[in-house]
Amino acid sequence: MIADRQQQILQRLNQAGKVLATELAEELGVSEDTIRRDLNKMGQLNLLRRVHGGALPLQLDVPDYADRLEKKDPKKQKRANQAVSLLKPGQTIFINSGETCRYLALAIPKEMPLTIVTACPLVACELVHHHKAEVILLGGVLFKPALRCAGAIALDMVRRIRADICFMGICALHPEHGITAKYIEEAAMMRAMIEQSDQTIAMGGSDRLGLISNHEITPLKQLDALITDKDADPTMLKLIKAKNMAIILV
Amino acid sequence: MIADRQQQILQRLNQAGKVLATELAEELGVSEDTIRRDLNKMGQLNLLRRVHGGALPLQLDVPDYADRLEKKDPKKQKRANQAVSLLKPGQTIFINSGETCRYLALAIPKEMPLTIVTACPLVACELVHHHKAEVILLGGVLFKPALRCAGAIALDMVRRIRADICFMGICALHPEHGITAKYIEEAAMMRAMIEQSDQTIAMGGSDRLGLISNHEITPLKQLDALITDKDADPTMLKLIKAKNMAIILV
DNA sequence: GTAAAATAGGCATAAACATGCAAAAAAGCG
DNA sequence: CGCTTTTTTGCATGTTTATGCCTATTTTAC
């Protein structure tokens, strides 16, 4: 019952761009108190942004800074915006390498105070104008196929950092085999980043689901959420959800 | 719905470049007092710059490094080519940050085996296709005014590396005051790189000669050669040569 | 200098809110 | 099914917040 109502609230929120507590109470036939309790709970779960009077969708306050990445991919932008909505000011985050991660970097509000750690020089370059962010670049040997630093030095740096969230653009995600990477150096870096983070959020198109690459990074139970698109196969999603991952469809 | 209104204000601000309190009050259908309270609050949160009458967007004074190389500078290219001619296969080199150094990176032959160490993510990106080169990126906190890593971690990494040549794009070179940098963090990194190298080669346009910036890096006697252009003042060159520097004019 | 606009602070009001409590509904269990 | 336990809900309470209006003050423009 409750889940149903919260689903309805989310639906209205995404449709209208905002919801008012009073309106919801009337339209859903429950008291305002109940609605407020719902909204508060959902706000804590990061399903929406609670404001005085009602609630707003999470991605509404993310301005569109993505004008520097040439070939704009709206799906990746959407995923990035959704990922950014999970961020809270003051957090420390890992950002992996890859195009998805560049979109993520661009989507981060310029005024948000954060500590951003990345092994990818391109991600670092995108963050030059984020004055409130401390950007930490993981050093070491540049691993060129993936354009990121890897190897002993980079791994050592990762292991000295503790982060709130690890954002990971994924190439291959399989319900049984977890996430996998093409190069072993990459896999080692990603595993280290996940281990050093309280929470890990995987991002990737629905075409990446069910794939297996060469080197295992980690099983799905180590991951907390997956941001993918609505084209994803429902059975696949069910299997992933069974591994205790939250699914966010954009 | 305060948050909703504040988002609208931000949107208008980014779109128009400024907002007036009176206009906002009328267009958003609330009193001017409310708008002012919003603007003040947002100003305190550093979301905008509050001014008498309205608000302005936070202005960014950082040049857009990523786009600056498009307008090709033939003089810098010549200097870069001259610098590359001093390289021998198998050497280990430091490349400093700055536009001059990006030209240098681009001028390095793609097939030359080298170990290239840099603190600048953009220089690293230019070297992705140099398959024979091992690129080492100095990590640590990204120092944004110069788009390079600096601070304790980067310094520590520099001091573990021994290089044959250090290439240094210079902002200011003075016969008596040596080379100087605008930021102290930059100066410290450059000094460390010079100390760890057998040979240091300075590169810079003739307009940089005779200038003094804020933070001393090192006196000229620590440097081995200067690559500059033929417009350089002869007297100045004589003074520099007296400090035991080789002069290469291109 | 003056006049007009913009602003800051005080105050009142209505809406939104948190909290405690009891009734109602749902879930668990023998 | 009947019973207990837990959760959810609605109501009453007092509190907080947002807003608009007022006045005194500051800033700006001329």
Side-chain angles (χ1 to χ4, degrees):
Chain A
M1 289 302 172
I2 22 167
D4 191 34
R5 191 177 55 234
Q6 295 190 359
Q7 205 74 26
Q8 287 210 317
I9 293 175
L10 268 186
Q11 199 174 324
R12 281 161 194 266
L13 184 59
N14 287 329
Q15 201 173 357
K18 67 174 178 181
V19 287
L20 303 178
T22 51
E23 282 183 18
L24 282 174
E26 194 178 351
E27 294 174 22
L28 300 183
V30 289
S31 75
E32 292 185 21
D33 302 75
T34 304
I35 292 294
R36 285 199 194 94
R37 272 184 282 243
D38 281 339
L39 293 180
N40 287 347
K41 212 175 283 179
M42 293 165 81
Q44 286 192 326
L45 290 173
N46 254 318
L47 295 171
L48 44 75
R49 200 168 131 241
R50 184 75 165 96
V51 294
H52 196 93
L56 296 171
L58 287 173
Q59 74 264 26
L60 252 196
D61 56 344
V62 180
D64 183 20
Y65 288 114
D67 41 7
R68 277 173 60 196
L69 214 54
E70 285 116 29
K71 30 170 188 166
K72 288 190 192 172
D73 184 333
K75 280 191 178 177
K76 286 189 175 170
Q77 280 184 348
K78 271 192 191 168
R79 284 201 290 275
N81 286 336
Q82 192 65 44
V84 164
S85 72
L86 301 175
L87 277 176
K88 299 198 184 86
Q91 284 187 322
T92 297
I93 62 171
F94 280 116
I95 299 185
N96 195 32
S97 69
E99 206 181 346
T100 301
C101 290
R102 285 185 69 195
Y103 276 102
L104 176 59
L106 284 171
I108 292 174
K110 288 204 171 53
E111 301 82 11
M112 191 182 276
L114 290 169
T115 300
I116 304 175
V117 186
T118 183
C120 172
L122 272 178
V123 168
C125 291
E126 304 286 9
L127 293 168
V128 192
H129 294 113
H130 290 68
H131 291 249
K132 294 273 175 66
E134 176 166 62
V135 179
I136 295 174
L137 188 49
L138 299 167
V141 176
L142 190 70
F143 182 66
K144 289 177 206 129
L147 194 56
R148 67 182 302 167
C149 287
I153 296 172
L155 270 177
D156 192 56
M157 279 189 73
V158 171
R159 296 205 174 111
R160 292 169 196 272
I161 298 171
R162 188 82 215 160
D164 296 294
I165 308 182
C166 173
F167 289 102
M168 196 130 283
I170 52 159
C171 297
L173 185 150
H174 188 278
E176 297 309 318
H177 293 83
I179 54 174
T180 43
K182 183 154 189 195
Y183 303 101
I184 193 166
E185 288 282 6
E186 237 190 323
M189 280 292 286
M190 287 164 88
R191 189 163 44 242
M193 284 180 171
I194 293 169
E195 280 167 3
Q196 294 300 113
S197 303
D198 290 342
Q199 211 185 129
T200 300
I201 293 165
M203 305 178 287
S206 55
D207 55 324
R208 305 298 174 84
L209 306 183
L211 300 183
I212 305 172
S213 187
N214 303 104
H215 297 280
E216 181 189 306
I217 300 166
T218 190
L220 293 194
K221 67 179 178 194
Q222 300 292 339
L223 309 182
D224 297 278
L226 167 67
I227 302 178
T228 188
D229 53 77
K230 296 198 173 94
D231 302 333
D233 178 67
T235 316
M236 180 64 70
L237 289 180
K238 206 176 251 176
L239 286 170
I240 295 168
K241 212 178 250 174
K243 299 286 172 184
N244 230 1
M245 282 188 81
I247 309 262
I248 302 172
L249 297 177
V250 292
Chain B
M1 293 297 269
I2 35 164
D4 192 30
R5 192 177 54 236
Q6 295 188 0
Q7 279 176 17
Q8 289 210 315
I9 293 174
L10 266 186
Q11 201 174 326
R12 282 161 194 265
L13 184 59
N14 286 328
Q15 202 173 356
K18 67 170 180 180
V19 287
L20 303 178
T22 52
E23 282 183 17
L24 282 175
E26 194 178 350
E27 294 174 21
L28 300 183
V30 290
S31 75
E32 292 185 21
D33 302 75
T34 304
I35 292 294
R36 286 200 193 94
R37 272 185 280 243
D38 281 339
L39 292 180
N40 287 345
K41 211 175 284 180
M42 293 164 78
Q44 286 192 326
L45 291 172
N46 253 315
L47 295 171
L48 44 75
R49 198 158 69 89
R50 184 74 166 97
V51 294
H52 198 93
L56 296 172
L58 296 172
Q59 68 223 18
L60 307 168
D61 51 350
V62 178
D64 195 349
Y65 282 86
D67 300 337
R68 272 172 60 190
L69 214 50
E70 273 151 31
K71 31 169 185 155
K72 289 190 185 163
D73 185 333
K75 283 191 178 178
K76 286 191 176 170
Q77 278 183 347
K78 271 191 190 168
R79 285 200 290 275
N81 288 334
Q82 191 64 43
V84 164
S85 73
L86 302 173
L87 276 177
K88 297 191 184 91
Q91 284 187 321
T92 296
I93 62 171
F94 282 115
I95 300 184
N96 193 34
S97 69
E99 207 180 346
T100 302
C101 291
R102 287 184 68 194
Y103 277 102
L104 175 60
L106 284 171
I108 292 173
K110 288 204 170 48
E111 299 305 321
M112 188 181 280
L114 290 169
T115 300
I116 305 173
V117 186
T118 183
C120 172
L122 272 177
V123 169
C125 291
E126 305 285 10
L127 293 167
V128 191
H129 296 111
H130 291 66
H131 295 271
K132 295 271 176 67
E134 177 167 64
V135 179
I136 296 174
L137 187 50
L138 299 166
V141 176
L142 190 70
F143 182 65
K144 289 177 206 129
L147 194 55
R148 67 182 303 166
C149 287
I153 295 172
L155 270 177
D156 192 56
M157 278 188 76
V158 171
R159 296 203 175 113
R160 292 169 197 273
I161 298 171
R162 188 80 215 160
D164 296 294
I165 309 181
C166 173
F167 289 101
M168 195 131 285
I170 53 158
C171 297
L173 184 150
H174 189 277
E176 296 310 316
H177 293 85
I179 52 173
T180 42
K182 181 150 188 198
Y183 302 101
I184 193 165
E185 289 282 6
E186 238 191 322
M189 280 293 286
M190 289 165 86
R191 187 163 46 242
M193 284 179 173
I194 293 169
E195 281 167 3
Q196 294 301 113
S197 304
D198 291 343
Q199 213 185 127
T200 299
I201 295 167
M203 305 178 289
S206 56
D207 54 325
R208 305 298 174 84
L209 305 182
L211 300 184
I212 306 172
S213 187
N214 305 103
H215 297 281
E216 181 190 306
I217 299 166
T218 191
L220 293 194
K221 65 179 179 196
Q222 300 293 338
L223 308 183
D224 297 278
L226 167 66
I227 303 176
T228 187
D229 52 78
K230 294 192 175 103
D231 301 333
D233 178 65
T235 316
M236 181 63 71
L237 289 180
K238 203 176 255 175
L239 285 169
I240 294 169
K241 212 179 252 171
K243 298 287 171 184
N244 228 0
M245 280 188 83
I247 308 265
I248 302 171
L249 297 178
V250 293

Short mmCIF file of all heavy atoms in Angstrom, two decimals, chain A residues 144, chain B residues 110-111 124-132:
data_model
loop_
_atom_site.label_atom_id
_atom_site.label_comp_id
_atom_site.label_asym_id
_atom_site.label_seq_id
_atom_site.Cartn_x
_atom_site.Cartn_y
_atom_site.Cartn_z
N LYS A 144 47.80 3.70 -21.14
CA LYS A 144 47.22 4.43 -22.26
C LYS A 144 45.95 3.85 -22.87
O LYS A 144 45.09 4.63 -23.29
CB LYS A 144 48.28 4.62 -23.33
CG LYS A 144 49.34 5.60 -22.88
CD LYS A 144 50.43 5.74 -23.89
CE LYS A 144 51.71 6.16 -23.21
NZ LYS A 144 52.82 5.30 -23.56
N LYS B 110 56.48 10.07 -32.18
CA LYS B 110 55.62 9.07 -31.57
C LYS B 110 56.34 7.76 -31.31
O LYS B 110 55.92 6.97 -30.48
CB LYS B 110 54.39 8.83 -32.45
CG LYS B 110 53.41 9.98 -32.42
CD LYS B 110 52.02 9.51 -32.80
CE LYS B 110 50.99 10.59 -32.52
NZ LYS B 110 51.37 11.91 -33.05
N GLU B 111 57.42 7.51 -32.03
CA GLU B 111 58.09 6.21 -31.90
C GLU B 111 59.31 6.26 -31.02
O GLU B 111 60.01 5.26 -30.87
CB GLU B 111 58.47 5.68 -33.30
CG GLU B 111 57.28 5.46 -34.23
CD GLU B 111 56.24 4.55 -33.59
OE1 GLU B 111 56.62 3.59 -32.92
OE2 GLU B 111 55.03 4.84 -33.76
N ALA B 124 49.93 15.03 -20.31
CA ALA B 124 49.76 13.58 -20.33
C ALA B 124 48.79 13.17 -21.44
O ALA B 124 49.04 12.20 -22.17
CB ALA B 124 49.26 13.10 -18.97
N CYS B 125 47.71 13.90 -21.57
CA CYS B 125 46.72 13.54 -22.60
C CYS B 125 47.31 13.63 -24.00
O CYS B 125 46.97 12.82 -24.87
CB CYS B 125 45.50 14.46 -22.49
SG CYS B 125 44.53 14.19 -21.01
N GLU B 126 48.20 14.60 -24.20
CA GLU B 126 48.79 14.76 -25.53
C GLU B 126 49.68 13.57 -25.88
O GLU B 126 50.01 13.34 -27.04
CB GLU B 126 49.62 16.05 -25.60
CG GLU B 126 48.90 17.32 -25.22
CD GLU B 126 47.94 17.80 -26.30
OE1 GLU B 126 47.70 17.05 -27.25
OE2 GLU B 126 47.42 18.92 -26.15
N LEU B 127 50.08 12.81 -24.87
CA LEU B 127 51.05 11.74 -25.09
C LEU B 127 50.42 10.35 -25.20
O LEU B 127 51.12 9.35 -25.19
CB LEU B 127 52.08 11.75 -23.95
CG LEU B 127 52.98 12.98 -23.91
CD1 LEU B 127 53.73 13.06 -22.59
CD2 LEU B 127 53.96 12.97 -25.08
N VAL B 128 49.10 10.32 -25.31
CA VAL B 128 48.41 9.02 -25.34
C VAL B 128 48.90 8.15 -26.48
O VAL B 128 48.98 6.93 -26.36
CB VAL B 128 46.89 9.22 -25.52
CG1 VAL B 128 46.18 7.91 -25.27
CG2 VAL B 128 46.39 10.28 -24.61
N HIS B 129 49.21 8.76 -27.60
CA HIS B 129 49.53 7.95 -28.77
C HIS B 129 51.01 7.66 -28.92
O HIS B 129 51.44 7.11 -29.91
CB HIS B 129 49.00 8.64 -30.03
CG HIS B 129 47.51 8.75 -30.03
ND1 HIS B 129 46.85 9.94 -29.90
CD2 HIS B 129 46.55 7.80 -30.08
CE1 HIS B 129 45.55 9.73 -29.90
NE2 HIS B 129 45.33 8.43 -30.01
N HIS B 130 51.81 8.04 -27.95
CA HIS B 130 53.23 7.74 -27.98
C HIS B 130 53.44 6.37 -27.36
O HIS B 130 53.73 6.22 -26.17
CB HIS B 130 54.01 8.82 -27.22
CG HIS B 130 54.01 10.15 -27.90
ND1 HIS B 130 52.88 10.89 -28.07
CD2 HIS B 130 55.00 10.86 -28.50
CE1 HIS B 130 53.17 12.02 -28.72
NE2 HIS B 130 54.45 12.01 -29.00
N HIS B 131 53.33 5.37 -28.22
CA HIS B 131 53.30 4.00 -27.71
C HIS B 131 54.61 3.56 -27.07
O HIS B 131 54.63 2.72 -26.19
CB HIS B 131 52.95 3.03 -28.85
CG HIS B 131 51.58 3.24 -29.37
ND1 HIS B 131 50.48 2.58 -28.83
CD2 HIS B 131 51.09 4.05 -30.32
CE1 HIS B 131 49.40 2.98 -29.46
NE2 HIS B 131 49.73 3.86 -30.38
N LYS B 132 55.69 4.14 -27.55
CA LYS B 132 56.99 3.72 -27.03
C LYS B 132 57.38 4.47 -25.76
O LYS B 132 58.39 4.19 -25.16
CB LYS B 132 58.08 3.96 -28.11
CG LYS B 132 57.90 3.11 -29.35
CD LYS B 132 58.62 1.78 -29.20
CE LYS B 132 58.36 0.87 -30.40
NZ LYS B 132 58.97 1.39 -31.63
#
